[in-house]
Amino acid sequence: MKQRTLSIVKPDAVRAGNAGKIIAEIESHFRIVAMRKLQLSKAQAAAFYAVHAGKPFYNDLVEFMTSGPVVVMCLEGEDAIANYRKLMGATNPEKAEEGTLRKKYAESMSHNAVHGSDAPETAAVEVAFFFPGCDLI
Ligand code: CMP
């Protein structure tokens, strides 16, 4: 089933100059429907990760996600949500499989290079968070 998902290249990967390599790898598997580079505000990051509010890592996550620019993309492909999560690898790069984006580019569990939506409902909300319908081409 063709699906769309949201991808974020996080501040650690952008800072390290790895955004282009990550985007090229993503593009070899998915169609990039929309893409922006932006600096998240604290309010935007807090809202985007609202599902994690109250968790011990929440404040650090908001701090980190606003520490520099990110690249956000809407991706499309067959089973894009699960397949992009496969390409990313486990949240903790120590547990990520060889060849995955997090194995190659993540520094730690919190500085883990990339984000991907985890379900169709969250994908729809996350894509709409960054892209109005007219920008999804
Ligand atoms: P992400 O896929 O962007 O979704 C939530 C993020 O919280 C996750 O990636 C991690 O970068 C970050 N995080 C930090 N600590 C933890 C933790 N203990 N468990 C889960 N996520 C964490």
Side-chain angles (χ1 to χ4, degrees), residues 3-123:
Q3 282 180 331
R4 289 181 175 182
T5 190
L6 186 85
S7 157
I8 304 179
V9 182
K10 295 188 180 186
D12 56 330
V14 175
R15 213 163 13 242
N18 291 327
K21 283 174 267 183
I22 290 173
I23 293 165
E25 208 162 319
I26 285 173
E27 200 178 26
S28 72
H29 297 275
F30 303 95
R31 188 173 81 81
I32 299 174
V33 177
M35 176 160 68
R36 291 172 65 193
K37 183 177 185 182
L38 70 146
Q39 168 70 51
L40 283 169
S41 67
K42 290 263 154 66
Q44 281 175 312
F48 183 80
Y49 280 117
V51 66
H52 296 298
K55 292 188 186 163
F57 58 86
Y58 180 66
N59 289 344
D60 286 347
L61 177 60
V62 170
E63 197 64 39
F64 166 62
M65 290 301 290
T66 56
S67 68
V70 296
V71 179
V72 293
M73 284 168 278
C74 173
L75 310 179
E76 185 179 82
E78 281 302 311
D79 293 320
I81 296 168
N83 282 333
Y84 179 56
R85 290 180 72 81
K86 242 182 251 168
L87 179 65
M88 287 195 301
T91 306
N92 183 347
E94 284 173 20
K95 297 189 178 148
E97 276 183 48
E98 284 302 328
T100 60
L101 295 174
R102 283 171 170 157
K103 187 72 180 182
K104 284 193 249 187
Y105 301 111
E107 297 163 11
S108 64
M109 173 90 129
S110 48
H111 292 43
N112 63 353
V114 283
H115 166 84
S117 310
D118 64 1
E121 300 72 29
T122 43

